[in-house]
Amino acid sequence: MHRTYSSNSEVTDSAAAGTAMATGVKTNNGMISTAPDGKELKTILEAAEEKGKSSGLVATSTITHATPAVFASHVASRSNEADIAPQLLENGVDVLLGGGKQYFPDSLINEAEENGYQYVTNQDELENAKKADKLIGLFAEDGMAPELDRDETDQPSLAEMTESALDVLKKDKDGFFLMVEGSQIDWAGHDNDAAWAMKDSEAFELAVEKAVEFAKKDGNTLVVVAGDHDTGGMSVGGYGKGDANLEVLRNVSATGDFMESKLNADRSN
């Protein structure tokens, strides 16, 4: 358990909450590992790198989104994702897996490849990247597909990304720091989309299983599972109406966003 409240708001956001997780310091909403007075805050990932360890960030959002960003970048506003992208590479993060291709221009990818990164863009390429020493995988222009809609894409699952990250990072004899985020549990909460939230929670659980399986074999790895903040007031049952009928949700096969994207402009279908 940890406290991740914002220093300037009753309701925290991912930037302030993530900064509290990554640095131990409370900051204003929207600030990325930067104190309210503008001072850059050292993160746990940067401390691990200083000790000679490898590091990785995995997310189903853009890899430049607030929670992954707080571990390896410093900006005054979380919306500056184009400024966050080069910092992730400058900070020497060895594995970056997620969405956000739009924030990594060809020049930045070329520079990364010159510095020893293998670059992959889909599930098959990721599967074949186990020999890489440094890895960058960008699987969508923006955020990745929700788990409910992933079979419409060639994107890897969170568990597959976690496993690939571990395959690369475990080569470092000094150890490693890896942060894996099931980012879209949060987005589903914002949208009040219960089936999306459940399916992405299940995908996160499968990723946790990969991490715990590795830790049991390794015998020298700590796995921490925590949330940075609650979103959207999602609850099971309540309001005096008795039990929730969760079986209904199991039959939902797409997110509300996906269904909405299939509607005609005039909603005639």
Side-chain angles (χ1 to χ4, degrees):
M1 300 295 288
H2 52 192
R3 291 183 297 175
T4 57
Y5 56 81
S6 164
S7 69
N8 75 332
S9 170
E10 294 294 332
V11 179
T12 193
D13 79 325
S14 293
T19 296
M21 284 174 77
T23 71
V25 177
K26 304 298 184 290
T27 195
N28 297 342
N29 279 4
M31 299 183 87
I32 299 289
S33 289
T34 304
D37 65 3
K39 180 173 165 249
E40 288 187 5
L41 302 166
K42 186 194 276 192
T43 76
I44 187 171
L45 184 147
E46 289 167 339
E49 289 271 0
E50 275 181 16
K51 295 281 185 189
K53 297 179 190 297
S54 295
S55 63
L57 297 170
V58 174
T60 53
S61 60
T62 57
I63 199 61
T64 47
H65 212 259
T67 304
V70 295
F71 288 90
S73 68
H74 309 271
V75 293
S77 172
R78 61 182 288 175
S79 61
N80 295 341
E81 292 188 60
D83 294 337
I84 289 164
Q87 287 190 40
L88 300 180
L89 292 165
E90 282 159 20
N91 260 341
V93 184
D94 301 277
V95 176
L96 293 166
L97 300 175
K101 209 182 289 184
Q102 63 179 310
Y103 300 112
F104 290 80
D106 290 345
S107 56
L108 196 56
I109 295 296
N110 293 341
E111 195 182 318
E113 289 180 321
E114 281 165 19
N115 288 326
Y117 284 87
Q118 186 171 336
Y119 175 50
V120 297
T121 59
N122 60 48
Q123 190 176 29
D124 288 342
E125 289 176 3
L126 181 66
E127 175 64 26
N128 295 318
K130 291 184 172 159
K131 295 196 170 101
D133 290 322
K134 293 202 283 186
L135 182 61
I136 179 166
L138 301 171
F139 306 107
E141 287 296 317
D142 200 2
M144 292 175 67
E147 186 64 19
L148 261 179
D149 307 332
R150 196 169 59 78
D151 57 1
E152 300 277 331
T153 72
D154 59 2
Q155 297 173 14
S157 68
L158 188 63
E160 287 166 340
M161 292 194 289
T162 302
E163 194 167 26
S164 294
L166 291 168
D167 283 338
V168 174
L169 296 173
K170 70 184 183 186
K171 296 173 190 169
D172 192 325
K173 297 290 176 272
D174 296 313
F176 63 85
F177 172 86
L178 171 65
M179 193 290 298
V180 177
E181 184 190 35
S183 319
Q184 300 198 23
I185 300 165
D186 169 292
W187 296 358
H190 281 296
D191 275 11
N192 293 297
D193 190 326
W196 179 4
M198 284 173 67
K199 195 67 179 172
D200 269 272
S201 295
E202 180 186 44
F204 181 72
E205 174 73 8
L206 294 172
V208 171
E209 281 179 13
K210 293 290 182 192
V212 171
E213 197 179 289
F214 172 84
K216 279 180 178 164
K217 274 189 201 152
D218 179 67
N220 198 29
T221 297
L222 173 67
V223 179
V224 177
V225 184
D228 56 358
H229 62 83
D230 292 332
T231 307
M234 297 283 283
S235 64
V236 177
Y239 302 115
K241 292 178 185 170
D243 293 335
N245 183 1
L246 299 182
E247 293 310 310
V248 170
L249 295 173
R250 293 188 194 282
N251 297 325
V252 178
S253 59
T255 60
D257 275 358
F258 181 83
M259 290 186 260
E260 195 267 345
S261 75
K262 298 299 179 191
L263 292 172
N264 296 337
D266 62 1
R267 301 295 196 259
S268 61
N269 66 337

